[in-house]
Amino acid sequence: MKVLLLTLASVLTTTAFAATSGTLLLKGTVPRIINLTVTAETLAANLPLDTTQNNSKVATVNEQSNSNTGYKVTISSANAGKLVHSTVSSSSVPYTIRYNSQSLNLASSQSVTYSSAASVNANRNVDISYTGVPFENLIEGTYQDTVTFTIAAN
């Protein structure tokens, strides 16, 4: 009788854990990618300051993002949108840029926001405009500015 009860108990216990279906969770994780590369055109290092430029291409910016909240690119100028003489800061040539066909005034930092979640690998043109100044009205030397592009997730 004991053997029969033990056998019956083990059969009932095994049957209680059996199932007719099961689940398997499959998942993967994609890391955030936020990258930016600036590639200058030859003109950027050899601007003809005596010749007016109207939306002349000076660089291409490659933006890469897979952020699920979109991203923004912030653009700032060390000299507030002026090409400044290397030793005589009072001598300068003001300019504006266009980023991806959008005109920007670099007197202060500017942001271009892309609010959609998407996988992006895009090239954006950077164009410069300024009024040429005759050389006799400028001080001899190098005029320059540093423009910084920063990408961040929203």
Side-chain angles (χ1 to χ4, degrees):
M1 184 72 160
K2 280 184 174 180
V3 173
L4 179 61
L5 286 176
L6 286 174
T7 305
L8 185 58
S10 70
V11 168
L12 290 175
T13 304
T14 304
T15 307
F17 290 109
T20 59
S21 67
T23 60
L24 169 65
L25 174 63
L26 301 173
K27 71 177 185 176
T29 302
V30 176
R32 177 177 282 166
I33 297 171
I34 298 284
N35 293 317
L36 183 139
T37 305
V38 179
T39 305
E41 297 288 325
T42 304
L43 178 64
N46 298 296
L47 293 168
L49 299 181
D50 64 333
T51 305
T52 296
Q53 300 296 306
N54 187 19
N55 295 322
S56 299
K57 185 176 176 183
V58 290
T60 301
V61 175
N62 177 258
E63 303 167 354
Q64 294 178 344
S65 171
N66 68 348
S67 171
N68 61 5
T69 57
Y71 67 98
K72 71 177 174 181
V73 176
T74 303
I75 305 161
S76 62
S77 161
N79 295 324
K82 296 178 185 172
L83 299 164
V84 177
H85 190 278
S86 59
T87 59
V88 183
S89 61
S90 61
S91 185
S92 64
V93 177
Y95 70 91
T96 59
I97 68 165
R98 208 169 57 158
Y99 185 74
N100 194 33
S101 300
Q102 182 178 343
S103 294
L104 303 174
N105 180 347
L106 293 180
S108 61
S109 292
Q110 301 291 312
S111 292
V112 179
T113 301
Y114 304 94
S115 56
S116 300
S119 177
V120 176
N121 184 351
N123 289 320
R124 314 287 189 194
N125 288 342
V126 180
D127 306 316
I128 191 168
S129 296
Y130 60 85
T131 301
V133 179
F135 287 151
E136 58 269 16
N137 295 338
L138 292 172
I139 296 173
E140 171 194 12
T142 302
Y143 290 73
Q144 65 186 27
D145 189 16
T146 301
V147 179
T148 302
F149 298 83
T150 306
I151 190 170
N154 290 332

